[in-house]
Amino acid sequence: MSLSHLFKLNTTVLRASCYATVQQRHFSYAPTLLHGKGKVAKGEGPYTVHFTTADGEELAVKAVKGDTLLDLAQRYDIDLECACEGSLACSTCHVICEPAYYDKMEEPTDEENDMLDLAFGLTETSRLGCQIVLDDSLDGLKVRIPSATRNMRVDGSKPTHH
């Protein structure tokens, strides 16, 4: 057999084996990741959070461990903006906490403090709703939603919960 004939034979076998391999291969075996906490119905949960809206309306909502205030606002249709959808890139979910509960929370991170610097009506007990994660110590939490936000979005739309 000549060298060129052997080369052609090897190339043909190589192409055939690559084609067969591609035909049998699956591209992804990764499991689907779920965003959020699944379906938690309104009124479910052992914790209560009290919101005072910008209009002065008082709302008491139920929550489960691990919920953020942003999760609750979206679940209960409370008018709390979330321009960055909870990614810590804005200050539109700014809330003002009662001092007794503020002292029970972990200190805000540097990233959260940077975003809070941009918030409208900043107070000593201001936090971002997307960063307040509920647990036993925050049962009964009371927060007030400021009367305005600083939102760079110009179309007036509000993101919805996924």
Side-chain angles (χ1 to χ4, degrees):
M1 239 191 250
S2 71
L3 189 57
S4 64
H5 182 66
L6 185 60
F7 178 74
K8 287 179 186 177
L9 181 64
N10 284 341
T11 305
T12 305
V13 170
L14 181 60
R15 282 187 195 147
S17 66
C18 289
Y19 181 73
T21 303
V22 171
Q23 291 298 320
Q24 296 173 0
R25 183 175 178 191
H26 297 282
F27 288 102
S28 176
Y29 287 101
T32 303
L33 298 177
L34 300 176
H35 182 69
K37 295 166 196 58
K39 297 292 181 188
V40 178
K42 290 181 182 181
E44 285 185 7
Y47 308 132
T48 303
V49 176
H50 304 274
F51 285 90
T52 302
T53 66
D55 299 330
E57 181 183 3
E58 300 207 8
L59 304 166
V61 300
K62 294 303 234 174
V64 296
K65 186 174 187 167
D67 273 341
T68 65
L69 294 189
L70 186 56
D71 293 332
L72 297 177
Q74 291 172 339
R75 187 177 307 142
Y76 289 92
D77 299 319
I78 296 170
D79 194 19
L80 181 65
E81 289 188 55
C82 57
C84 73
E85 300 185 24
S87 65
L88 195 54
C90 73
S91 64
T92 59
C93 65
H94 167 229
V95 295
I96 300 167
C97 305
E98 279 199 357
Y101 289 98
Y102 182 85
D103 294 338
K104 294 178 183 181
M105 296 177 194
E106 291 185 22
E107 289 291 318
T109 63
D110 290 340
E111 292 83 5
E112 182 179 358
N113 279 324
D114 289 345
M115 290 296 107
L116 281 169
D117 288 341
L118 306 174
F120 175 84
L122 189 65
T123 71
E124 291 290 320
T125 60
S126 289
R127 291 294 303 265
L128 297 180
C130 66
Q131 299 301 301
I132 299 174
V133 181
L134 295 174
D135 61 17
D136 294 334
S137 68
L138 297 179
D139 185 23
L141 174 64
K142 295 181 181 181
V143 297
R144 182 171 52 85
I145 300 172
S147 60
T149 63
R150 292 194 175 122
N151 187 350
M152 298 305 287
R153 293 180 76 137
V154 294
D155 61 4
S157 68
K158 293 183 183 179
T160 57
H161 189 59
H162 303 264

